[in-house]
Amino acid sequence: MFDIKIDESLPKEAFYQELSAQLEGLFYGERDLICNAAQLSAFIMQSVPDLNWAGFYFLRGQELVLGPYVGKVACTRIPLTKGVCGAAVSTKTTQRVTDVHQFPGHIACDGDTRSELVLPIFAGDVLIGVLDLDSPIPDRFDEKDQFGVQELANIFVKSTDFQWALDVG
């Protein structure tokens, strides 16, 4: 069993450094995409406060398809022209949205969500999907969260074999 022990009173930079060290331990010896995506989703939900959803959408053709996640039942397919996740893929940039209700084309999979952080995930130069974090708190994510979660995503990419997913894409 893997125990997550993080002091939430730490400054955000130190908090995410501790998370990064523990995530590397969690992924040690495991390279499977689905396993690591599921573990990262659960890890984030258990350790990052004030979230109501954390997980993946994978790029399949011209849409995003739901992957491993933790949270309420979610939208299963997202067109690349819709929502915060679609914007992250279309622009190939991280989307940090302070109020999703003000975001053009927002998809309300969970009406409780107020803010969102979505990071595009690349395997080498190939965009394979997004890591999506939702919060019921407006303006929940700041630059320190974005940087810290990006480091967690980097560890995920470094620890994961994407070849079979690239063959399907």
Side-chain angles (χ1 to χ4, degrees):
M1 182 165 171
F2 191 87
D3 250 351
I4 300 170
K5 293 184 176 120
I6 303 292
D7 181 358
E8 288 185 27
S9 69
L10 291 170
K12 276 191 183 179
E13 294 92 344
F15 173 78
Y16 282 109
Q17 287 172 352
E18 287 291 318
L19 284 183
S20 294
Q22 290 202 27
L23 185 62
E24 287 181 347
L26 178 63
F27 285 157
Y28 181 77
E30 182 57 62
R31 301 216 35 97
D32 184 81
L33 171 59
I34 300 300
C35 180
N36 285 352
Q39 289 285 54
L40 181 55
S41 300
F43 181 82
I44 288 172
M45 280 296 286
Q46 288 178 356
S47 57
V48 178
D50 301 322
L51 300 181
N52 60 331
W53 202 93
F56 289 86
Y57 282 92
F58 292 112
L59 187 59
R60 296 289 179 255
Q62 293 301 305
E63 63 185 356
L64 290 163
V65 178
L66 182 63
Y69 73 95
V70 177
K72 290 182 181 179
V73 171
C75 301
T76 56
R77 294 178 183 269
I78 299 175
L80 300 184
T81 57
K82 299 285 184 191
V84 181
C85 291
V89 170
S90 297
T91 64
K92 296 182 178 168
T93 61
T94 296
Q95 302 292 304
R96 192 175 73 233
V97 179
T98 59
D99 183 355
V100 296
H101 299 296
Q102 302 302 315
F103 189 87
H106 170 66
I107 301 169
C109 296
D110 179 351
D112 292 336
T113 295
R114 292 296 310 275
S115 59
E116 198 164 354
L117 178 64
V118 181
L119 296 86
I121 302 294
F122 293 88
D125 294 336
V126 179
L127 178 63
I128 64 148
V130 297
L131 174 60
D132 181 14
L133 278 60
D134 295 359
S135 174
I137 298 171
D139 202 17
R140 160 62 184 86
F141 305 103
D142 61 19
E143 288 180 0
K144 293 175 184 177
D145 293 301
Q146 181 176 335
F147 181 80
V149 173
Q150 182 63 62
E151 183 55 30
L152 299 177
N154 292 344
I155 294 167
F156 166 76
V157 168
K158 177 182 76 174
S159 302
T160 302
D161 177 12
F162 293 95
Q163 190 55 50
W164 69 267
L166 295 172
D167 293 341
V168 174

